Amino acid sequence: IKAIFTCLERTFKFIALSVPVLVFVFYFYPKVSRDALIIDSFSVPKQFEEAGFTPDVVANRIGHAMQEISADAHTQIEKNEVTWARDEALIPDVEVPGTKLGLKTLVDMARALPGAHKAKHVVGDIVALHTGGPTSVTSQVTVTVYIKGHQGDQVFGFVAKSDDINLLTQEIAQKTWEQVEPYVLASHLNQHRNSDKALKLARQIITEKPPENIQVPAAYALVGKILSEQHNYKEAVANFEKSISLNSKSAFSSHCMGQSSRLRGQRSSR
């Protein structure tokens, strides 16, 4: 009997020690294994709220627009995961057995570690433009977006039309991706047959980002793809080969090699 109790005691201890590991693997790790963009509420003009476009509704639409852009982007580099502040608040702060710490606390601690994947908060103000008296409102708004992260804050603003909430939230989503991860937007634009803007943005990434940034070889590959579709094979090959030289171990390097070889063959047959 004593041996049975000893065996049961060891089993219970094993289970107690295994629970934190299982919690980490199935819940905790996915929360910290990717960079996250957390969408907070956007303050909005009074007329927006009167029409039903509350701060939460606008934040929802911006977040969904950003998710659609990310889903459209054909890229094998790791993208920021778009989520909402309300989702982060739903992380249960229950105590993880064997740690005396809450699950939410562990998530925050892991994100604060050097080299860990980080979360950025996206908040903003949408303010109606006035032209004269206090009741005179145009169909334009000024938008200011604040991207707050561990490595510093980014702020950008622009003037936009306010008569179509879908176009407005789409524009905010695009400009936010342009600030945070421009390659995602460039790939999205190319997918939607806007190759001129995609090419311009990809070249901007190459010019402004350091070569070790993972977006740079991806941008070279995108430039090569667009130029090959424009039958500019010589420059396309040069960009594919530059992409390979910067990140030969990447998942898309083999694709670039194949494209480069194919285009060389097309050039030689002309």
Side-chain angles (χ1 to χ4, degrees):
I1 295 176
K2 185 177 180 181
I4 294 174
F5 277 112
T6 302
C7 181
L8 288 174
E9 184 181 6
R10 289 176 178 174
T11 301
F12 285 127
K13 285 183 178 179
F14 174 78
I15 293 173
L17 292 172
S18 299
V19 167
V21 176
L22 293 173
V23 170
F24 179 86
V25 170
F26 291 105
Y27 188 89
F28 175 45
Y29 179 74
K31 290 287 181 184
V32 297
S33 61
R34 299 183 66 183
D35 290 340
L37 286 175
I38 302 172
I39 311 299
D40 284 297
S41 292
F42 275 60
S43 64
V44 298
K46 183 179 179 181
Q47 64 265 31
F48 275 40
E49 293 207 53
E50 290 174 347
F53 300 118
T54 64
D56 285 343
V57 169
V58 171
N60 285 344
R61 296 201 176 198
I62 293 170
H64 284 300
M66 291 187 67
Q67 286 181 333
E68 289 175 358
I69 291 171
S70 179
D72 281 346
H74 283 195
T75 171
Q76 297 188 43
I77 66 171
E78 187 173 316
K79 297 179 285 188
N80 283 269
E81 181 181 11
V82 180
T83 184
W84 285 266
R86 65 172 186 270
D87 295 335
E88 294 289 308
L90 293 176
I91 299 175
D93 205 19
V94 297
E95 184 177 305
V96 178
T99 66
K100 294 185 178 181
L101 294 172
L103 183 59
K104 189 174 182 179
T105 303
L106 287 175
V107 171
D108 292 338
M109 288 173 61
R111 281 181 173 159
L113 291 173
H117 291 258
K118 305 300 182 183
K120 293 181 180 179
H121 287 261
V122 180
V123 299
D125 303 319
I126 302 174
V127 181
L129 284 176
H130 294 265
T131 57
T135 59
S136 176
V137 180
T138 70
S139 61
Q140 289 186 313
V141 291
T142 56
V143 179
T144 307
V145 179
Y146 307 87
I147 303 168
K148 302 180 179 181
H150 290 276
Q151 297 180 343
D153 299 344
Q154 296 171 267
V155 182
F156 68 91
F158 60 96
V159 176
K161 292 184 178 180
S162 62
D163 49 358
D164 189 325
I165 191 67
N166 290 324
L167 290 178
L168 175 61
T169 53
Q170 179 72 19
E171 186 172 3
I172 294 172
Q174 288 192 1
K175 290 184 179 296
T176 301
W177 272 124
E178 186 174 355
Q179 292 292 320
V180 176
E181 202 169 2
Y183 178 77
V184 171
L185 178 58
S187 180
H188 163 78
L189 291 171
N190 190 54
Q191 287 297 119
H192 287 263
R193 301 182 184 280
N194 199 338
S195 58
D196 289 342
K197 284 188 177 180
L199 185 61
K200 180 180 178 181
L201 186 53
R203 283 174 166 162
Q204 183 178 323
I205 293 168
I206 292 168
T207 302
E208 297 180 357
K209 301 286 184 185
E212 61 271 15
N213 188 300
I214 190 61
Q215 295 184 78
V216 175
Y220 273 112
L222 181 58
V223 171
K225 180 177 184 296
I226 295 172
L227 292 178
S228 68
E229 291 169 352
Q230 296 175 351
H231 306 292
N232 187 345
Y233 300 130
K234 182 178 180 180
E235 286 192 41
V237 168
N239 278 275
F240 280 130
E241 291 180 346
K242 184 64 176 178
S243 176
I244 296 167
S245 70
L246 288 175
N247 197 354
S248 60
K249 296 181 180 179
S250 70
F252 56 79
S253 65
S254 58
H255 169 74
C256 292
M257 290 178 186
Q259 289 289 87
S260 180
S261 298
R262 180 180 64 82
L263 294 177
R264 282 200 204 94
Q266 289 186 6
R267 286 172 57 196
S268 61
S269 63
R270 285 174 172 260

